[in-house]
Amino acid sequence: MTATVPLGTLRPVVELRGDEMARVMWDLVRDRIVLPFLDVDLVTFDLSLPERDRTADRITVEAAEAVRDARVGTKCATITPTAERLGTGEVRRLWPSPNGTIRRTLRGVIFREPVVLGAVPRVVPGWTQPIVMARHPYGDQYQAVDFAVPGAGRLTMTYVPDDGGVAVEHEITRFGADGGVALGMHNVTDSIREFARACFAHGLTRGLPVYLSTKDTVLRSYDGAFRDTFRTVFEDEFADRFAAAGLAYEHRLIDDMAASALKSGGGFLWACKNYDGDVQSDVVAQGFGSPGLMTSALLGEGGRVLLTEAAHGTIARHHRRWVAGEDPSTNPTATILAWSRALAQRALLDDAPQVGDFAELVERVTAGAIESGCMTRDLASLVGPHQAHVGTREFVDEVARHVRDELHRTRTRAHADGPAGRAGMVS
């Protein structure tokens, strides 16, 4: 079938393929929902674990740089290798998380938001409005140094100033004969400041109040830096705009914030440090029904670059069933939305409104399919034992069928309207 959407001067979208069941869904969505209807220029990088191992992970850096240059990318979930994989000879080294490499290259902030659908009961029924999770994707546990301590000894932490000033040393603890483990982590003020700006700007764009959660009562300097930087950025740059928009900003302890969020109706942006954002995003995704309904976008380079992704992981257990010949009924909605949001951004940057209309159509059709009862197992189980479910491939084909029908009706109307209505359409 030829493309039915005019492209104009659309520039490339960078596609980052991944692993396991996530990759199966990725290819299904690309080949059945996107490419049959949109002749988009894709720059593809294979970030599967075997390819990252073959290239000594060079391909991950190249992919991140390509996204930065193109300003729009979309990413499939990928594997971060474990010691078990190293032990089987599957990989030569414990390569770092591709997500971490990409996030550091793009200097980005992750925003995750659930898709709220009336047909899908929520695990937290009071959440009637979306909760946008903002995760600071730098430092903390993800760029920490951790090691096993073999025996008795003294653990210290030392800061040596570049200007030749006096070094600062802190004694962390003294280990006994049995040793233990140690962890050292860091963050940087510039990154925290950019995180704050991105959160406040996104809150204004979405019309949502912003909350930052930390544990500054325990980590007085570390979490205190987040608290103080957010307060300074808000007061200096955003307070007047928030007041004009009728929005508020507040810092809360993370335990208080978690409890308040569960009792709320949603409708706010929740800013978290790196690890906190990782965990709380999963909680919010499940609370709204399923990780398969969670959108995820990395805004990098001060908002100049958008990388969308499906944030539910590679789903290894389902992939084993797929390889065995089963259809595990994995939810591809987040994958579909990763593609549609990237296409919408490409359309916005390149002034291609009909491509934006196509992206909107894909999202509308996907939501409509679920609302009409076409559900994968994760969603059907929330509705109840009498709700039927479909397989992964069947769900993708259902969405593709509706997209094809809608585009056919649009083309038919355009022909009926005459030459003006047909301008730019591909026959």
Side-chain angles (χ1 to χ4, degrees), residues 12 16 23 29 37 90 98 143 165 185 190 202 205 229 242 253 275 318 332 336 346 386 392 406:
L16 312 182
R23 185 183 182 112
V29 171
F37 312 112
E90 188 175 352
Q143 290 173 266
M185 64 185 196
D190 284 348
H202 201 65
T205 299
T229 302
F242 265 60
L253 287 174
Y275 178 76
H318 285 202
I336 295 172
R346 184 78 282 166
H386 301 296
T392 305
E406 287 284 341

Side-chain angles (χ1 to χ4, degrees), residues 57 62 113 194 242 296 387 411 427:
D57 207 35
E62 293 172 353
E113 179 176 348
E194 288 305 310
F242 265 60
S296 182
Q387 174 63 49
R411 185 167 56 179
S427 59

Side-chain angles (χ1 to χ4, degrees), residues 112-196:
R112 290 180 176 164
E113 179 176 348
V115 178
V116 182
L117 299 172
V120 179
R122 286 171 286 282
V123 176
V124 183
W127 285 353
T128 57
Q129 299 297 318
I131 296 174
V132 177
M133 295 300 307
R135 174 184 170 189
H136 182 223
Y138 178 86
D140 301 348
Q141 287 93 324
Y142 300 86
Q143 290 173 266
V145 175
D146 71 307
F147 62 97
V149 177
R154 177 171 170 258
L155 178 68
T156 64
M157 180 182 293
T158 304
Y159 161 68
V160 181
D162 282 347
D163 62 6
V166 178
V168 178
E169 180 179 291
H170 292 276
E171 180 174 299
I172 308 304
T173 192
R174 290 180 178 268
F175 287 98
D178 286 344
V181 291
L183 169 73
M185 64 185 196
H186 77 284
N187 225 294
V188 294
T189 303
D190 284 348
S191 183
I192 300 171
R193 187 181 296 114
E194 288 305 310
F195 177 49

